Amino acid sequence: MPRQKRILITGATSGIGLALVVRHAPDAAVLATGRRSAEEARRVLPDGVAYVQADQRHPERAVAAILSALDDLGWDRLDLAVLNAGTGHAVDPAGETPQMLRDVLDANLFCAVTLAQALRPRLEAGQGRLVLIGSTARKGAAGFASYAAAKAGLHGFARALAEEWRGRIAVQVVHPGPTDTGMHARAGHDPGRLVRLFARTGTMARLIDAAIARGRTVETISFARFLGRGEGGR
Amino acid sequence: MKTALVTGGGAGLGRAIVERLLAEGWRVVSVDRAEGTTVPGLEHLACDLADRHAVDALAERLGGMGPFGLAVFNAGVSATGRFEAIPIEAYRRLMTVNAETPMLLSAGLVRTGQMAGPMCFVSSLSHFTGYPGAAVYAASKDALAVYAKSVRKPFARRGVSVTLACPGPLRTDHARRHAPAGADADRRMPPEVAARIILDATLAGRRLVVPGRANRSVALAGRLLPGTMMRQMRRLIFDRLQGEVW
Ligand SMILES: NC(=O)c1ccc[n+]([C@@H]2O[C@H](COP(=O)([O-])OP(=O)(O)OC[C@H]3O[C@@H](n4cnc5c(N)ncnc54)[C@H](OP(=O)(O)O)[C@@H]3O)[C@@H](O)[C@H]2O)c1
C-alpha cells in the first residue's frame, strides 16, 4: 500500500481552506490551522483531521505552534503545504490604521515567508510541494490596498522561490478570483448582486487541486472564466 | 518655501534626491538611521525604519511638521543569497523597512491631511523581472508597487498624486554590496540621473516611472515573457551569488 500523504493546510477552518480539507481528508493525513480555538475548529473540521491554533498576525508565534504540532504528529516530511490563510479589510486606504496594515501584511505575507523557511527541511525530505494561495487582487485594488499589496508580495516571493528551489521543492502560487466564502462579509465588504457570479467554495477548491496537479508556477483561477460560462462557477 | 519628506535620504538614491531638492529651493526633511551633516534647508530625523515603535513615534512627529508638498518613500534594504540561508529576523526588518513602513507613513500623512502634493514610492525594476536570489526583497518591492497602484485613485480624490518608481541597478554602495560576481558597475545608472528622472515624473504626477531606456526594455520583456525573464535572472544573479549578504 502506498504511504499516506501528509498535508498541511493553513486557514483551514472556513471557506476555501475548509473545502480543501474536506477534499483531502478521506485519503490523506491532514494538519489544519486557523485563528480560532481548537474547540471551535472541531465543530467544522471532518473527523480525523489534526488541528493547531496559529494566529498568523503573530508570525513567529504561529510558526512555532505549527512546528510543534508537526513534531507532536511525528511528521518529519511533508508532501504538500497549502498556505491559504488570508484576511483583509474593505477600507479607504487613508483610513487604514497602522495596526490594520501590520496585521494584513503579517497574516497574509510575512507568515507565509516564515513558514516557507521553517517547513523547508520537511518539504525537502518529502520531495514535497509548497502552494501559496494569492488572489486576483494582486494587481491592485483601491478598496483593499494592503491586502492587494500582500498578495502581490506572495506572487513575487513564490516566483523567485520556485526558481531557487527548482528540482528540490516545487513552489506554486494560485490566484483565486472572487469566491462565495463569507470572506467579503468578514472584511466589511458587500459585493451585492455580484455575489451570484462568485465561484462556489467547493468549485474553487477543485480548481485549485487541478492547478496543483498541473504544477505550473503561477495559476489564476479567474472570474472571467466563470462569466464566460454564464454559470457563476456553480 | 515648500517642504519635502524623503526617507532614506542619507545615502545613494535618497541622498541624490535630497541634494536635487535642496538645489531647487525646497526645504527637506530627511529620515534616516544615522544623523547626517547639517546643511541650510535640510532637517534630519533619525529613525530606525525597521523598528515599529520608532516608526510610530516618527509618524506622530511628522504630523506636526507638515504640510508636505512632496513625499518620496525611498528607504529600502536588501538581502541577497539563498532564501533559506538568511535569518528570519533579517527578513522581518527588510519587510518592515521596504513595505510596511512606507505604507503606514503614507496612509497616516494622507489621513491627517498632511500631504499637500505628490507622493512617490520607490520600488524596483525587480517588480517586472522577478528576482531569484532575493525572494523576500522581491516580495517587499512587489507589495510596495501594488500598494502604490492601489492607492492612486483614492489618494487622488484627496489631492495627492501617486507615482510608482521602479529604478534598475544604480551605482550606489547598496547595489555594489548585493551585485553578483562579475557585474559591470559602469552599466548601472548614476543615482543623480535616476533622482532627476524620478522627481520630474513625480512632480508631473505620472503613474509609473522606470528610469533609463534599457531598463524600460527589460521591464517590457519581463511583462511579455515573465518565465523567460525569470530564468534569465536566475542565470545572471542566483547562479552567480557567492554567499549571503544582508
Ligand atoms: N473568497 C474570495 O473571494 C477569495 C478570492 C481570492 C483569494 N482568496 C484567498 O483565499 C484564501 C482563503 O479565503 P476564504 O475566502 O476561504 O476566506 P475565509 O472563509 O474568510 O477563511 C479564511 C481562513 O483563514 C484563516 N485566518 C484568517 N485570519 C487568520 C489569522 N490571523 N491567523 C490564522 N488564520 C487566519 C481563518 O481562520 P479562522 O476561521 O479560525 O478565523 C480561515 O480559516 C485567502 O488567502 C484569501 O485571501 C479568497
Side-chain angles (χ1 to χ4, degrees):
Chain A
M1 201 177 97
R3 66 179 168 77
Q4 205 183 25
K5 283 208 161 126
R6 292 169 175 177
I7 305 180
L8 168 72
I9 303 176
T10 69
T13 46
S14 154
I16 295 168
L18 179 57
L20 286 168
V21 170
V22 169
R23 286 176 59 80
H24 288 283
D27 16 65
V30 177
L31 172 60
T33 84
R35 177 171 41 188
R36 64 186 74 184
S37 72
E39 193 181 309
E40 286 169 290
R42 287 274 152 256
R43 284 187 217 132
V44 295
L45 288 172
D47 289 341
V49 170
Y51 179 78
V52 59
Q53 180 177 22
D55 187 340
Q56 299 200 174
R57 289 172 299 179
H58 309 286
E60 291 82 358
R61 267 185 270 160
V63 171
I66 293 169
L67 289 182
S68 95
L70 289 167
D71 284 343
D72 292 347
L73 290 167
W75 290 11
D76 48 9
R77 56 168 179 79
L78 265 179
D79 295 285
L80 172 65
V82 184
L83 308 189
N84 159 82
T87 180
H89 310 279
V91 61
D92 170 7
E96 256 192 302
T97 63
Q99 194 60 55
M100 287 162 113
L101 276 160
R102 286 172 175 148
D103 284 351
V104 168
L105 289 174
D106 276 343
N108 293 291
L109 178 55
F110 194 68
C111 197
V113 169
T114 311
L115 267 173
Q117 201 178 63
L119 296 175
R120 184 197 50 87
R122 286 178 170 87
L123 286 169
E124 208 152 20
Q127 292 175 304
R129 178 176 291 277
L130 176 68
V131 178
L132 308 184
I133 302 299
S135 166
T136 47
R138 72 168 176 93
K139 292 190 172 171
F144 290 90
S146 63
Y147 175 80
K151 294 297 192 179
L154 284 179
H155 178 81
F157 175 63
R159 290 189 68 225
L161 197 60
E163 209 51 50
E164 290 193 22
W165 283 0
R166 191 172 295 288
R168 295 162 59 198
I169 299 167
V171 179
Q172 293 178 265
V173 60
V174 180
H175 298 294
T179 308
D180 191 4
T181 63
M183 183 183 82
H184 295 83
R186 272 187 289 284
H189 173 69
D190 176 8
R193 284 164 57 195
L194 270 181
V195 81
R196 286 186 300 143
L197 300 171
F198 284 19
R200 266 193 191 152
T201 308
T203 308
M204 185 53 75
R206 179 167 53 73
L207 294 173
I208 289 173
D209 275 335
I212 293 173
R214 272 195 300 278
R216 289 196 206 117
T217 303
V218 178
E219 285 261 10
T220 298
I221 303 175
S222 79
F223 200 50
R225 284 172 62 158
F226 302 119
L227 279 181
R229 287 186 204 153
E231 54 176 342
R234 287 149 196 262
Chain B
M1 208 191 315
K2 288 212 278 187
T3 305
L5 172 69
V6 181
T7 67
L13 177 62
R15 182 193 292 174
I17 289 173
V18 168
E19 281 168 1
R20 185 167 181 95
L21 288 169
L22 289 171
E24 287 178 356
W26 289 77
R27 192 181 148 251
V28 180
V29 176
S30 166
V31 183
D32 217 315
R33 200 128 60 112
E35 299 283 350
T37 47
T38 322
V39 193
L42 175 63
E43 183 169 352
H44 279 282
L45 292 182
C47 177
D48 178 359
L49 296 169
D51 176 339
R52 287 179 169 179
H53 294 291
V55 170
D56 288 340
L58 172 70
E60 186 109 343
R61 223 172 134 200
L62 290 177
M65 299 181 82
F68 294 101
L70 171 69
V72 183
F73 297 99
N74 157 82
V77 294
S78 193
T80 43
R82 291 162 300 149
F83 166 65
E84 60 272 31
I86 294 170
I88 199 71
E89 299 73 32
Y91 287 139
R92 164 62 92 181
R93 290 182 60 82
L94 182 154
M95 196 62 86
T96 306
V97 175
N98 291 11
E100 176 183 305
T101 296
M103 294 183 200
L104 188 155
L105 291 177
S106 65
L109 289 172
V110 174
R111 176 169 57 249
T112 55
Q114 293 291 308
M115 275 313 298
M119 192 176 254
C120 175
F121 293 96
V122 180
S123 173
S124 162
L125 189 60
S126 71
H127 181 52
F128 296 103
T129 61
Y131 198 168
V136 183
Y137 174 85
S140 72
K141 290 298 189 179
D142 282 348
L144 188 64
V146 166
Y147 184 76
K149 291 181 191 177
S150 298
V151 301
R152 184 167 164 86
K153 274 191 190 149
F155 284 7
R157 283 197 289 273
R158 295 167 181 252
V160 178
S161 67
V162 175
T163 298
L164 167 61
C166 293
L170 297 172
R171 218 175 288 163
T172 60
D173 289 343
H174 171 106
R176 225 187 329 278
R177 262 170 34 85
H178 293 282
D184 182 358
D186 288 345
R187 287 174 53 185
R188 291 185 218 134
M189 184 179 270
E192 302 73 33
V193 176
R196 173 178 53 76
I197 297 171
I198 289 172
L199 282 175
D200 287 350
T202 302
L203 293 168
R206 279 177 47 201
R207 190 177 59 81
L208 169 70
V209 54
V210 179
R213 189 178 306 173
N215 290 328
R216 282 194 294 281
S217 310
V218 168
L220 180 64
R223 273 184 177 176
L224 296 177
L225 295 168
T228 310
M229 178 60 77
M230 183 63 90
R231 283 187 293 281
Q232 181 73 1
M233 289 292 284
R234 178 189 169 123
R235 278 192 293 276
L236 286 174
I237 297 178
F238 185 64
D239 290 348
R240 293 191 195 173
L241 288 173
Q242 292 175 317
E244 280 67 37
V245 182
W246 70 85

